[in-house]
Amino acid sequence: MESVLSKYENQITIFTEYLEEYPNTDELVWILGKQHLLKTEKSKLLSDISARLWFTYRRKFSPIGGTGPSSDAGWGCMLRCGQMMLAQALICRHLGRDWSWEKQKEQPKEYQRILQCFLDRKDCCYSIHQMAQMGVGEGKSIGEWFGPNTVAQVLKKLALFDEWNSLAVYVSMDNTVVIEDIKKMCRVLPLSADTPGDRPPDSLTASNESDELIFLDPHTTQTFVDTEENGTVNDQTFHCLQSPQRMNILNLDPSVALGFFCKEEKDFDNWCSLVQKEILKENLRMFELVQKHPSHWPPFIPPAKPEVTTTGAEFIDSNEQLEELDLEEDFEILSV
């Protein structure tokens, strides 16, 4: 087991050895809908990337389900990407897109509350425990690898149980014609949350004019971190403090899920207008927008919460904890 964990811990180091420095050009870079001029704003660019919550493989957490795995190395990468997408949406909802994180600096209580939702504990509502067990209802055994669409379905279920009312849109795609559309969506749509894909690297956060993507890679294993005695979390390992990695967009597996956060209804209306104008005008469409539930689709039936022994319901149902962050009023998640 140790040799397996060591393999995944070393993946990110090996890849980084081949990473070139960012070129000194006049190119524009988009980080989750926010534009940076590479030549003059490189420090802001790097700061913007390091501010994103970074979830990776962890080990030595309590066994999932009581007797299951105590590490997600080798199978939890897509779940970690889903966590990153959801965490980014929560950051936008409660702290704003322009919020920045600094090492060793005291952070707002809302930030700590968001981070604690994702700790690897059965009583944290968006933990690896919650997501893995929710995946059982999607036909995935605990410890089995998830695809992008399955993760989107799991996030939607968790959102339904929390009664969110803002909107996070996940667009799942599986076709080689989508690369150009992904590039457009990275540049045109201002509300992007994240982009997990089927082939490493999984969590893509940016695009530039050279058709490269900057990404946060979950494929490194870190030790479980819990809440400290003062009620806060040491967050140093939840932010990527090394130089971010890059890849050519043509190396992206086309099986991906794009995430977009809409704080208000008008944001969703604007998103739909931009998609219709800039993305869906082509003959080959990667998805559709419709006004009503198509008649040939099966009726929508809200999923039942699976009966498992470690659901974390005591956290989700705690009024005191939810009221501090207003999680019960945050999002509705749609998958397209």
Side-chain angles (χ1 to χ4, degrees), residues 3-143:
S3 62
V4 173
L5 293 177
S6 177
K7 171 186 175 183
Y8 287 106
E9 286 176 329
N10 292 334
Q11 275 188 350
I12 196 169
T13 304
I14 294 172
F15 193 97
T16 306
E17 290 176 355
Y18 297 94
L19 180 67
E20 297 179 357
E21 291 294 326
Y22 283 97
N24 189 25
T25 70
D26 292 325
E27 289 187 0
L28 294 174
V29 179
W30 284 261
I31 305 293
L32 300 176
K34 189 173 183 179
Q35 180 179 290
H36 297 274
L37 183 60
L38 187 57
K39 188 172 185 178
T40 59
E41 299 178 327
K42 188 177 296 186
S43 61
K44 290 184 179 180
L45 166 68
L46 297 175
S47 176
D48 197 7
I49 295 172
S50 65
R52 303 310 112 212
L53 281 172
W54 178 44
F55 297 117
T56 71
Y57 292 147
R58 294 275 174 174
R59 62 181 179 182
K60 297 184 179 180
F61 49 70
S62 62
I64 299 175
T67 58
S70 58
S71 172
D72 64 313
W75 61 271
C77 51
M78 199 65 65
L79 296 177
R80 297 303 185 179
C81 292
Q83 287 180 323
M84 282 189 266
M85 296 179 78
L86 183 52
Q88 176 60 23
L90 288 170
I91 290 291
C92 289
R93 167 69 170 81
H94 293 281
L95 298 174
R97 175 60 184 88
D98 294 329
W99 170 81
S100 62
W101 175 88
E102 294 182 28
K103 186 177 180 180
Q104 304 295 346
K105 181 181 178 181
E106 183 178 355
Q107 301 298 330
K109 66 176 183 179
E110 291 85 358
Y111 165 81
Q112 281 287 332
R113 294 289 306 148
I114 291 170
L115 181 54
Q116 289 175 20
C117 290
F118 296 90
L119 296 183
D120 300 318
R121 291 170 28 182
K122 67 179 183 181
D123 59 345
C124 294
C125 54
Y126 307 126
S127 65
I128 192 77
H129 299 66
Q130 287 278 350
M131 297 184 70
Q133 293 189 128
M134 196 66 73
V136 173
E138 297 295 320
K140 295 291 185 180
S141 301
I142 294 176

Side-chain angles (χ1 to χ4, degrees), residues 227-259:
T227 307
E228 298 183 344
E229 292 184 1
N230 62 2
T232 64
V233 178
N234 186 337
D235 63 353
Q236 301 304 299
T237 61
F238 292 98
H239 293 270
C240 187
L241 302 180
Q242 58 193 358
S243 297
Q245 302 179 55
R246 293 180 293 154
M247 65 175 289
N248 191 290
I249 195 171
L250 295 178
N251 295 327
L252 175 67
D253 193 301
S255 180
V256 298
L258 303 179

